[in-house]
Amino acid sequence: MDKAGDKTARLVKGYAQVYTGNCKGKTTAALGLAFRAMGSGFKTYIGQFMKGQQYGELESARLVKPYITIEQYGRKDLVHVKEPPLEEDVRMAADGLARARSAMLSGDYDIVVFDEILTAHDFHLVSVDSILELVRMRPDNVEIVLTGRYAPQEVIDAVDLVTEMVEVKHYFRKGVNARKGIEF
């Protein structure tokens, strides 16, 4: 097995995964995959759609560069569902899609995570056709992960693995707010 730091470590065969559902854990699962991959010398690129806020994983990624790289494609404010969506949100999502696609095709990364791209689709920022194109054009030696709520059936049908996070019980229901280091 290749060790972290081995510049020859390459993923031999990649697949397309979806992490979806209405409970927390989708981004966390993708980050866990990136962390595990780093232990085998693999490099992960994470493009975060609709996110421009400060999250704990941004600082963590800086500590483990070049193994995990995170870029955000969103405003510092939360994106709210608007019909039609704000032009700025659409532009940032399109720019992010181009950057993440470029990372996927660059040969520099073994894993590319399109974080919250499925939610961006639900908010009318990214088309289902654009997401399906990513799945089709994925290089054979690159693993991709698509995260977010409301995965369209066409995407579920096109990928190799789908995991759904289902809320059984959540402390938010008791009024607990998002906590630094746990939810952000």
Side-chain angles (χ1 to χ4, degrees):
M1 178 157 86
D2 294 310
K3 296 195 183 342
D6 180 354
K7 298 194 186 330
T8 64
R10 296 305 307 183
L11 188 62
V12 176
K13 171 70 176 131
Y15 293 93
Q17 302 186 28
V18 163
Y19 301 161
T20 193
N22 286 327
C23 197
K24 68 178 261 143
K26 298 170 290 291
T27 298
T28 303
L31 290 164
L33 176 64
F35 190 77
R36 177 182 294 131
M38 180 178 66
S40 292
F42 298 152
K43 293 181 180 176
T44 301
Y45 176 90
I46 301 171
Q48 294 187 321
F49 290 82
M50 300 176 24
K51 291 182 177 178
Q53 303 89 348
Q54 181 61 38
Y55 290 98
E57 64 258 26
L58 298 174
E59 186 57 34
S60 297
R62 283 193 258 300
L63 297 173
V64 296
K65 230 178 174 15
Y67 295 100
I68 300 174
T69 300
I70 300 177
E71 292 185 342
Q72 293 184 316
Y73 323 128
R75 294 182 282 123
K76 298 230 182 275
D77 303 339
L78 291 175
V79 174
H80 296 283
V81 179
K82 297 204 187 277
E83 288 290 337
L86 295 178
E87 200 173 298
E88 178 183 13
D89 293 328
V90 173
R91 180 189 54 75
M92 292 180 96
D95 291 347
L97 185 63
R99 289 178 67 130
R101 181 187 308 114
S102 178
M104 179 179 75
L105 299 174
S106 70
D108 294 336
Y109 300 97
D110 302 284
I111 301 168
V112 176
V113 177
F114 298 84
D115 187 37
E116 295 295 351
I117 194 168
L118 301 173
T119 307
H121 167 263
D122 189 62
F123 282 24
H124 308 289
L125 303 176
V126 176
S127 73
V128 72
D129 288 337
S130 296
I131 297 170
L132 292 171
E133 181 183 18
L134 293 171
V135 175
R136 284 191 297 271
M137 66 190 317
R138 176 192 59 78
D140 199 44
N141 65 333
V142 174
E143 190 94 3
I144 65 170
V145 179
L146 312 168
T147 77
R149 296 170 186 252
Y150 317 117
Q153 189 61 50
E154 303 95 321
V155 173
I156 290 171
D157 293 342
V159 300
D160 303 296
L161 181 149
V162 177
T163 299
E164 182 177 11
M165 280 43 168
V166 176
E167 180 182 330
V168 175
K169 185 176 184 180
H170 203 307
Y171 43 76
F172 284 177
R173 303 253 182 246
K174 292 182 179 180
V176 177
N177 292 325
R179 299 169 296 148
K180 184 176 182 176
I182 306 298
E183 279 83 31
F184 67 94

